[in-house]
Amino acid sequence: MFFAKTTISAAILAAVNGHMIMTSPSPFDPEKLNNSPLDASGSDFPCKFNDVYTATGGTVNTYELGSSQQLAFKGSAVHGGGSCQVVMTYDNPPTKDSVWKVIHSIEGGCPAKGVAGNLPENPNGDGAGKYTFQVPSDIPAGKGSIGWTWFNRIGNREMYMNCGPLELTGSGGDKANFDALPDMVVLNIGSHPKTPEGVDYKFMKAGASPENNIGQYGVATCDNDGCKEGDQAGSDSGSDTPASSSPAASPTSTPAGGNGGGVFLTTGPDTPTSTPVATTTAAAATTTTAAASASATPTANPGSGSGSSSGSAGSACSTEGMWNCIDGSKYQQCASGQWSAVMPMAAGTKCTPGQSMDLGMIAAGRRVRAFRA
């Protein structure tokens, strides 16, 4: 497979009420802006414009050329992060034919850093990240529109885009400098290529000062022609970032549950949102000796339940975050009141059979990490 695909239960993906909305810059008509991604058909591109939501209302974002500004959100379904771009056009209202240029790229960890799944569900939550971008100093002053785009790391292959009214003030610069900025990347809608799931995204042309939050999930490099495995930034003459500048993890690293599966947790209501959810790579499961592996005999947690059969995916479960280890080789989790699909454990790893809040991973004869809800 081209990428080591990461999966997440349909129950977690169903938390649409907590999807993200841009709050800074201020969007057009915030009372009518919903929190869903762009329609998969591309019918509401750009900016989610449709018969109801249009480029009207809202507070004008008045920025001085060269100034530093904040990107911020509300919501909680951060889908394990991903990558974002801050974009602008001199059109107001913008249309499908508008020229959007990138003024800042956030590669990995957007709209939240160090979160493997989602934040505790809250459509008005402010636990997502806050990011700083700089308005170019050498482009023309004038009116237009500013936007935020996001390609989520896990979940359905989606593109998010919110926009707001913009006015740039100052002495201004040459339009040629605006034209030279990277084009906005458009993926996952209409006939545009899809992003791979489960990795962070670099942009082939990220702009003058990309924010690098590439983490442990592997990386793909994307432009409007699609995505390529690994850190390819700098491999074409127009790129802004040398390929050697990023500390990106190997794209072959796989979260626990490997062989195409992954364990991803939403943080619970008592878990600080700034604390990353623990993951373990399949490679860690191979560090002990073959002799130790031969002696491995997982035992059930006392009082944890039989674990001898799975709950049907989507069927009801009562304890949020409960793990169900099946025969030591497969697992599922209770999320949003439903059992997730059954997934295989990573090669060389086992879990402790039964239902408990502790998955009890065992690697080649010894317990290596307790995944807790």
Side-chain angles (χ1 to χ4, degrees):
M1 182 176 289
F2 186 64
F3 291 96
K5 185 178 180 182
T6 305
T7 58
I8 187 167
S9 73
I12 294 175
L13 292 180
V16 294
N17 288 335
H19 277 160
M20 310 308 294
I21 290 179
M22 177 181 75
T23 57
S24 178
S26 178
F28 289 110
D29 203 355
E31 296 302 318
K32 291 184 180 179
L33 176 61
N34 67 38
N35 56 15
S36 62
L38 292 173
D39 190 273
S41 69
S43 61
D44 56 358
F45 175 85
C47 307
K48 295 184 59 59
F49 294 149
N50 53 37
D51 292 339
V52 175
Y53 183 70
T54 58
T56 57
T59 302
V60 175
N61 300 283
T62 303
Y63 297 154
E64 185 176 358
L65 292 168
S67 64
S68 293
Q69 303 295 335
Q70 185 179 78
L71 175 66
F73 313 95
K74 69 176 181 180
S76 54
V78 296
H79 292 304
S83 294
C84 304
Q85 293 190 309
V86 180
V87 297
M88 64 159 290
T89 177
Y90 283 103
D91 293 345
N92 187 349
T95 70
K96 294 181 184 295
D97 298 321
S98 293
V99 175
W100 292 90
K101 292 292 186 174
V102 176
I103 60 176
H104 187 63
S105 293
I106 304 165
E107 299 177 315
C110 182
K113 303 175 186 178
V115 179
N118 292 329
L119 299 171
E121 186 171 349
N122 181 355
N124 295 309
D126 59 359
K130 294 178 175 60
Y131 307 84
T132 299
F133 65 92
Q134 187 169 21
V135 179
S137 60
D138 59 354
I139 62 175
K143 295 182 178 181
S145 303
I146 191 164
W148 156 71
T149 66
W150 169 38
F151 302 106
N152 51 305
R153 187 175 65 81
I154 56 177
N156 296 329
R157 301 297 77 209
E158 296 169 334
M159 178 177 178
Y160 291 75
M161 185 178 190
N162 293 171
C163 308
L166 174 67
E167 182 171 4
L168 299 180
T169 62
S171 59
D174 196 319
K175 185 177 182 297
N177 295 325
F178 173 78
D179 294 337
L181 294 172
D183 292 328
M184 176 178 72
V185 175
V186 180
L187 296 167
N188 295 336
I189 60 171
S191 60
H192 294 274
K194 305 293 185 184
T195 56
E197 185 180 3
V199 296
D200 286 323
Y201 312 112
K202 289 182 72 71
F203 297 104
M204 188 69 76
K205 297 180 180 180
S209 58
E211 180 176 333
N212 188 344
N213 300 319
I214 299 297
Q216 64 200 39
Y217 305 110
V219 62
T221 305
C222 305
D223 60 15
N224 282 301
D225 293 326
C227 299
K228 300 177 182 178
E229 183 179 7
D231 183 355
Q232 304 292 327
S235 61
D236 77 359
S237 59
S239 179
D240 305 281
T241 308
S244 61
S245 66
S246 170
S250 165
T252 59
S253 61
T254 306
N259 297 332
V263 177
F264 290 100
L265 310 180
T266 54
T267 54
D270 297 324
T271 304
T273 57
S274 61
T275 303
V277 179
T279 60
T280 302
T281 62
T286 63
T287 58
T288 55
T289 65
S293 176
S295 65
T297 307
T299 57
N301 289 340
S304 63
S306 68
S308 60
S309 62
S310 65
S312 300
S315 63
C317 54
S318 59
T319 305
E320 188 73 9
M322 177 73 74
W323 295 101
N324 182 25
C325 173
I326 306 154
D327 301 327
S329 61
K330 301 181 288 292
Y331 67 90
Q332 61 185 163
Q333 189 183 25
C334 180
S336 298
Q338 297 179 330
W339 284 116
S340 71
V342 175
M343 298 299 301
M345 295 295 294
T349 67
K350 294 183 179 181
C351 55
T352 304
Q355 296 179 12
S356 74
M357 301 304 290
D358 182 339
L359 186 59
M361 277 190 62
I362 298 171
R366 65 188 179 96
R367 186 178 175 121
V368 294
R369 182 67 61 93
F371 282 92
R372 297 184 183 275

